Amino acid sequence: MHVLVIGGGVIGMAIAYEARRQGWSVTLVERNHCGQATSRAAAGMLVPVTEAQFGEEEMYHLNAASLDRYPEWVERLEGETGIPLHFRTMGTLVVARDPDEWGYVKHFFELYHRLDPAVQLLTPREAHRLEPALSLNIAGALYSPGDHQIDNWQLIRALREALVRGGVQVLEDTPVERIVLADDRCTGVETARGLLEADVYVLAAGPWTHQIPDVREVLPIPLRPVKGQVLILKPTATAPMPERVVRGFQAYLVPKPDRLVVGATQEEVGFDPYPTAGGIYTLLEGAYEMVPGIYDMTLADILVGFRPTTPDHKPILGPTPVENLVVATGHFRHGILLMPITAELIVEYLRTGQVPTALRSFLYERFR
Amino acid sequence: MHVLVIGGGVIGMAIAYEARRQGWSVTLVERNHCGQATSRAAAGMLVPVTEAQFGEEEMYHLNAASLDRYPEWVERLEGETGIPLHFRTMGTLVVARDPDEWGYVKHFFELYHRLDPAVQLLTPREAHRLEPALSLNIAGALYSPGDHQIDNWQLIRALREALVRGGVQVLEDTPVERIVLADDRCTGVETARGLLEADVYVLAAGPWTHQIPDVREVLPIPLRPVKGQVLILKPTATAPMPERVVRGFQAYLVPKPDRLVVGATQEEVGFDPYPTAGGIYTLLEGAYEMVPGIYDMTLADILVGFRPTTPDHKPILGPTPVENLVVATGHFRHGILLMPITAELIVEYLRTGQVPTALRSFLYERFR
């Protein structure tokens, strides 16, 4: 079987990787360079619990199942490429700056504690003892000790390397100009490199998935970009790195071996690719009020990403009305976390022709 | 006479320009590209009054005299190059956010009003009426209607263009490796392009002036860099440009035809070339609290400059202990404003061999 994957973010790359493991012939087309859009702007938090929302149990279970798959993926990717992914347990402190925010944190504590009894509420002093970089001028914090994270920049490098080493044809700088359809089947994909043909096609172009010519018409996916601005800070001698993930209501701080990621705005402004004064101000204020030591850090970069988002904030995974066209997009804030389970479920569907039970809540048909 | 100018900021370029007008043969060497360091990071405010300090009357008079020279320079440069410099009267609002800052503003009002009787104090409502972009949540403002500004990016372009058109030899990417001295005279300048010889040499390398090998030893100028971080914002449909210069205690906003310059930190950290989280946060907070509309503006760029600064915050202009070596640096916050008078006085000294009266307070010898 020949599989063609459209989109070289972590979702597209992971599907190509998993398909190749079946022994299939795999081509991946990416309009720019693999992993340099949404995947790069992510923070790599793998936190099903502290990302859980009331009434979104399905998402929690999918997220938790994907996290369970991570150790095996990490071991395999690191083994094949030698690229360390810095996958590790790193507790999260959810910080309330004032009584108002503290009310929210206590409210969410009920949910988080039900999902993981190790989650606890801390006084400002307890939180500060746990994380000396934290301001004492807070109302309280919630601690989730079992959270994980991964270095998403390293993950991007490793996935791409594993694809190339594994014999996947990776075609970068190759935008799809048209999807060729005939009798409810996809017969090819037109690109600047000519017509590419395969047996099955996987649409994994993130927030741009429904903008591919012809996809727009046959597959009117209700997808929108949610802009996120992100700061990359570098610690200095006078501004040491926090040791834990610190999350607040205006910003989160995620320490990586070589950088501190401060994210992220959540803006409904379409594909505006520029950082804004207000977005950066909001992140810096939020980060500074929780971890004052960031003041002296170098501002090394500003990233802008676009989360592929659906009306119910759940991804769209699996079959489409076009027989041999499969979709995997709409991962919103959870693309890095959902990478393993997405790839495994999509490939299981391609292999068996049966929709796995775990996919049923995430099918495209719920929007028809 | 052959003059060699070291340094391609606005000061060096203006001296080369004025020297060329005398009919002299002129060479300018610049280690990078003309005007792309301190001059580019400036905001182009030409405001002798609202930059005046108690007890610094000499600086005020030099600044005011330089502003008087500006219209003639602008007319000549625009005429020769066709590059518009956007030299114009643009009143300054000095904004106090709280009673504490209002106390300072009223204190400085005494000085400013003595220098220019048109300067007045405004209530928040009066200030807002004058500048609709201004927040009403302020304690008061001072208005200086007669201030000027220029687009310093255009000025850089025009100066360079005028030099090349006028027959000045402009050597960029040409760091000075050594100044050759013999018997208290300079006999040449070694560069990657070989030895360059002239009759007189002008040191105008801004904060790097005393770092040139050999200069360090014979001319121990007490010069330090004062770092300034600057934001370049772009107005959008929902975030219109303020119509006046708005200055506060944490930031100033200077509208240009194509951008809003928000400056500037003043940091004693040596030549650290990176923006910092705290520096950018401080500017954004200061700007936002005065002009909330900046929130939606695009953050187009972050610049870092280094003001050449002396212990008394006055420039060092004129002769040195080396007979045919002249210096022009230490302009601190006033390089753009002091450009015309600096060039004219230095060239007058070169022409006559006499130290002009106006230079007497700014000689190198005050530090020996």
Side-chain angles (χ1 to χ4, degrees):
Chain A
M1 183 151 86
H2 185 184
V3 180
L4 189 142
V5 179
I6 299 167
V10 292
I11 297 295
M13 286 197 286
I15 292 168
Y17 176 78
E18 190 67 10
R20 183 69 193 128
R21 284 185 68 223
Q22 312 300 312
W24 302 337
S25 165
V26 181
T27 300
L28 181 143
V29 293
E30 158 58 38
R31 60 176 190 161
N32 296 316
H33 197 82
C34 286
Q36 299 308 300
T38 312
S39 302
R40 182 173 158 82
M45 286 185 285
L46 308 174
V47 292
V49 174
T50 51
E51 280 275 339
Q53 298 287 331
F54 286 100
E56 294 192 0
E57 282 72 17
E58 282 163 347
M59 277 309 297
Y60 169 72
H61 291 300
L62 192 71
N63 284 334
S66 199
L67 180 56
D68 288 343
R69 309 297 309 126
Y70 244 106
E72 193 182 315
W73 276 70
V74 168
E75 195 182 342
R76 208 184 297 130
L77 284 169
E78 287 186 340
E80 289 172 20
T81 66
I83 296 171
L85 301 182
H86 307 301
F87 174 72
R88 49 182 166 153
T89 307
M90 181 181 267
T92 304
L93 279 160
V94 181
V95 173
R97 291 171 296 182
D98 55 39
D100 188 25
E101 292 184 353
W102 186 228
Y104 276 97
V105 168
K106 285 189 289 188
H107 174 61
F108 272 94
F109 171 71
E110 292 173 33
L111 173 64
Y112 298 170
H113 191 262
R114 202 163 66 225
L115 299 173
D116 177 0
V119 170
Q120 52 188 304
L121 291 176
L122 303 179
T123 65
R125 192 153 294 281
E126 288 168 338
H128 182 72
R129 206 171 298 135
L130 199 61
E131 174 51 70
L134 201 66
S135 169
L136 264 167
N137 190 21
I138 60 173
L142 176 152
Y143 186 50
S144 172
D147 284 337
H148 288 72
Q149 66 147 304
I150 195 165
D151 186 336
N152 51 306
W153 291 5
Q154 294 286 86
L155 177 63
I156 290 163
R157 280 183 58 211
L159 278 168
R160 193 183 175 288
E161 176 76 15
L163 293 185
V164 173
R165 288 195 188 206
V168 170
Q169 186 184 28
V170 177
L171 302 175
E172 298 184 312
D173 298 314
T174 308
V176 168
E177 289 161 3
R178 201 176 140 234
I179 299 216
V180 187
L181 298 167
D183 299 332
D184 284 343
R185 280 188 66 83
C186 184
T187 59
V189 160
E190 274 179 15
T191 73
R193 296 177 196 263
L195 184 72
L196 303 174
E197 292 173 304
D199 301 306
V200 286
Y201 301 82
V202 180
L203 279 170
W208 300 277
T209 299
H210 66 330
Q211 291 193 341
I212 297 167
D214 297 304
V215 170
R216 217 179 334 229
E217 286 73 39
V218 298
L219 214 63
I221 305 174
L223 202 60
R224 69 183 197 280
V226 176
K227 178 179 174 179
Q229 302 184 45
V230 173
L231 310 174
I232 305 297
L233 305 185
K234 301 269 181 180
T236 61
T238 55
M241 196 78 110
E243 286 163 29
R244 285 170 181 77
V245 175
V246 177
R247 297 185 55 170
F249 288 70
Q250 236 175 273
Y252 53 74
L253 297 86
V254 185
K256 303 287 177 192
D258 63 341
R259 65 194 190 276
L260 179 65
V261 182
V262 177
T265 63
Q266 222 168 283
E267 299 165 77
E268 302 279 359
V269 292
F271 285 108
D272 168 31
Y274 302 108
T276 61
I280 304 309
Y281 174 42
T282 299
L283 295 179
L284 287 169
E285 182 182 64
Y288 174 69
E289 289 181 357
M290 296 189 295
V291 180
I294 67 138
Y295 199 89
D296 285 334
M297 287 190 188
T298 296
L299 175 56
D301 206 354
I302 298 174
L303 307 178
V304 175
F306 301 100
R307 306 172 187 88
T309 310
T310 66
D312 58 9
H313 284 191
K314 295 193 296 188
I316 299 174
L317 307 173
T320 72
V322 179
E323 201 187 305
N324 59 341
L325 184 64
V326 167
V327 68
T329 186
H331 292 80
F332 189 41
R333 297 162 54 91
H334 309 298
I336 306 293
L337 174 54
L338 288 174
M339 177 198 78
I341 198 88
T342 298
E344 293 184 17
L345 291 172
I346 292 290
V347 167
E348 181 183 339
Y349 169 69
L350 293 180
R351 195 179 65 236
T352 64
Q354 305 295 319
V355 173
T357 313
L359 274 192
R360 292 219 180 117
S361 304
F362 305 102
L363 298 177
Y364 170 65
E365 66 175 30
R366 74 185 187 274
F367 293 117
R368 294 185 77 193
Chain B
M1 182 150 85
H2 186 184
V3 180
L4 189 141
V5 179
I6 298 167
V10 293
I11 297 295
M13 286 198 286
I15 292 168
Y17 176 79
E18 190 67 10
R20 183 69 194 130
R21 285 184 68 223
Q22 311 300 312
W24 302 338
S25 165
V26 182
T27 299
L28 181 142
V29 292
E30 158 58 38
R31 60 175 190 161
N32 294 317
H33 197 81
C34 286
Q36 298 309 298
T38 312
S39 301
R40 181 173 158 83
M45 285 186 284
L46 308 174
V47 292
V49 174
T50 51
E51 280 275 340
Q53 298 287 331
F54 285 100
E56 293 191 0
E57 282 73 18
E58 282 163 348
M59 276 310 297
Y60 169 71
H61 291 299
L62 192 71
N63 283 334
S66 199
L67 180 56
D68 288 344
R69 311 295 309 125
Y70 244 106
E72 195 182 314
W73 276 69
V74 167
E75 194 182 344
R76 209 184 295 127
L77 284 170
E78 288 186 340
E80 290 172 20
T81 66
I83 295 172
L85 301 182
H86 307 299
F87 174 73
R88 50 181 165 154
T89 307
M90 181 180 269
T92 303
L93 278 160
V94 181
V95 173
R97 292 172 295 181
D98 54 41
D100 188 27
E101 292 183 352
W102 186 229
Y104 276 97
V105 169
K106 284 190 290 189
H107 174 62
F108 273 94
F109 171 72
E110 292 173 33
L111 173 64
Y112 298 170
H113 190 261
R114 201 164 68 225
L115 299 173
D116 177 0
V119 170
Q120 53 188 303
L121 291 176
L122 303 180
T123 65
R125 191 153 295 281
E126 288 168 339
H128 181 73
R129 206 171 298 134
L130 201 61
E131 174 51 70
L134 201 65
S135 168
L136 263 166
N137 190 22
I138 62 173
L142 177 152
Y143 186 50
S144 172
D147 284 337
H148 288 71
Q149 64 146 305
I150 195 165
D151 186 336
N152 51 307
W153 291 6
Q154 294 287 84
L155 178 62
I156 290 163
R157 280 183 57 210
L159 277 168
R160 192 183 175 289
E161 176 76 16
L163 293 185
V164 173
R165 288 195 189 206
V168 171
Q169 185 184 26
V170 177
L171 302 176
E172 298 185 313
D173 298 314
T174 308
V176 168
E177 290 161 4
R178 200 174 141 236
I179 298 218
V180 187
L181 298 167
D183 299 332
D184 284 342
R185 281 189 65 83
C186 184
T187 58
V189 161
E190 274 179 15
T191 73
R193 295 178 196 264
L195 184 72
L196 303 174
E197 292 175 305
D199 301 306
V200 286
Y201 300 82
V202 181
L203 279 170
W208 300 276
T209 299
H210 65 330
Q211 291 193 338
I212 296 167
D214 297 304
V215 170
R216 216 180 335 229
E217 286 71 40
V218 298
L219 215 62
I221 305 173
L223 202 60
R224 70 184 197 279
V226 175
K227 177 179 174 179
Q229 302 184 44
V230 173
L231 309 175
I232 305 298
L233 305 185
K234 300 271 180 179
T236 60
T238 55
M241 197 77 111
E243 286 163 29
R244 285 170 180 76
V245 175
V246 177
R247 297 184 55 169
F249 288 70
Q250 235 176 273
Y252 52 74
L253 296 87
V254 185
K256 303 287 175 192
D258 63 342
R259 66 195 189 275
L260 179 65
V261 182
V262 177
T265 63
Q266 223 167 283
E267 299 165 78
E268 301 279 1
V269 291
F271 285 109
D272 167 31
Y274 302 108
T276 61
I280 304 309
Y281 174 43
T282 299
L283 296 179
L284 287 169
E285 182 182 64
Y288 174 70
E289 288 180 358
M290 297 189 295
V291 181
I294 67 137
Y295 199 90
D296 285 334
M297 287 190 188
T298 295
L299 175 56
D301 207 355
I302 298 174
L303 307 177
V304 174
F306 300 101
R307 307 172 187 87
T309 310
T310 66
D312 60 8
H313 284 191
K314 296 193 296 189
I316 299 174
L317 306 173
T320 72
V322 179
E323 202 186 304
N324 59 340
L325 184 64
V326 168
V327 68
T329 187
H331 292 79
F332 189 40
R333 297 163 53 89
H334 309 297
I336 306 292
L337 174 53
L338 288 173
M339 176 198 79
I341 198 88
T342 297
E344 293 184 18
L345 291 172
I346 291 290
V347 167
E348 181 182 339
Y349 169 69
L350 292 180
R351 195 180 63 237
T352 64
Q354 305 295 317
V355 173
T357 313
L359 274 191
R360 291 217 182 118
S361 304
F362 305 101
L363 298 177
Y364 170 67
E365 66 175 29
R366 75 184 186 275
F367 293 116
R368 296 184 73 193

